Amino acid sequence: MLLLKSLHLIFMVTWFAGLFYLPRLFVYHSMSSDDTGIDRFKTMERKLYFGIMTPGAVLTLVFGAWLAVINGWDLYMEQTWFKAKLVLLLLLAGYHIYCGKLLKDFNYDRNTRSHVWYRWFNEVPVIFLIAIILLAVYKPL
């Protein structure tokens, strides 16, 4: 069980590293004007999204669900804090998918947003991380 919990946490950290870094790359990409720099950002963004973020997200959810099943899914579903955590995870998955849409827009040179917008967008995962950790640790509801 401790191995599953460890794997869940390792991949959660991996996923969040990508969630923090990809929008930061978008900031710099949106400010870039030279073809070499733009191509470099496209490569970095693609590798981060498909090579680190998405596997991290999938494995976080797999090991988290496995832990919940082992510990009694029915018992967890009776607890409000767990339901709140699941809602936040669904919203976070939506953020992840939206990052993929933005990545595609950049890849096809269709970005319409400013670096300032991406700077604010970059802060969103921090809110999710704080809320999810507090729910999992304190189980307040």
Side-chain angles (χ1 to χ4, degrees):
M1 173 114 91
L2 289 177
L3 177 61
L4 289 178
K5 188 181 282 188
S6 297
L7 290 170
H8 176 64
L9 291 172
I10 288 165
F11 289 111
M12 183 272 303
V13 169
T14 303
W15 185 18
F16 269 95
L19 289 170
F20 291 148
Y21 190 47
L22 184 64
R24 179 55 48 184
L25 288 176
F26 291 159
V27 169
Y28 301 132
H29 190 161
S30 66
M31 295 170 60
S32 186
S33 58
D34 64 293
D35 289 340
T36 304
I38 289 170
D39 289 341
R40 184 176 300 121
F41 283 118
K42 287 178 182 181
T43 300
M44 292 170 65
E45 292 159 358
R46 185 184 75 255
K47 287 181 177 184
L48 179 61
Y49 187 81
F50 292 107
I52 296 173
M53 278 176 64
T54 300
V58 169
L59 292 169
T60 297
L61 298 174
V62 165
F63 288 117
W66 195 350
L67 281 167
V69 168
I70 287 173
N71 290 318
W73 180 263
D74 294 340
L75 296 174
Y76 276 114
M77 288 308 293
E78 292 174 4
Q79 300 176 43
T80 307
W81 73 268
F82 188 73
K83 291 177 191 172
K85 181 181 173 185
L86 288 179
V87 168
L88 290 173
L89 287 173
L90 286 173
L91 292 171
L92 187 63
Y95 180 88
H96 178 107
I97 291 166
Y98 188 66
C99 282
K101 183 240 183 264
L102 294 172
L103 176 114
K104 187 175 182 181
D105 288 345
F106 272 113
N107 192 51
Y108 292 110
D109 301 317
R110 296 187 309 226
N111 175 52
T112 59
R113 302 194 185 275
S114 73
H115 68 94
V116 175
W117 187 88
Y118 287 109
R119 288 179 195 279
W120 283 104
F121 183 73
N122 188 57
E123 302 305 322
V124 172
V126 174
I127 296 164
F128 282 109
L129 179 65
I130 292 168
I132 291 168
I133 294 292
L134 290 176
L135 282 170
V137 171
Y138 289 102
K139 300 171 178 59
L141 306 172

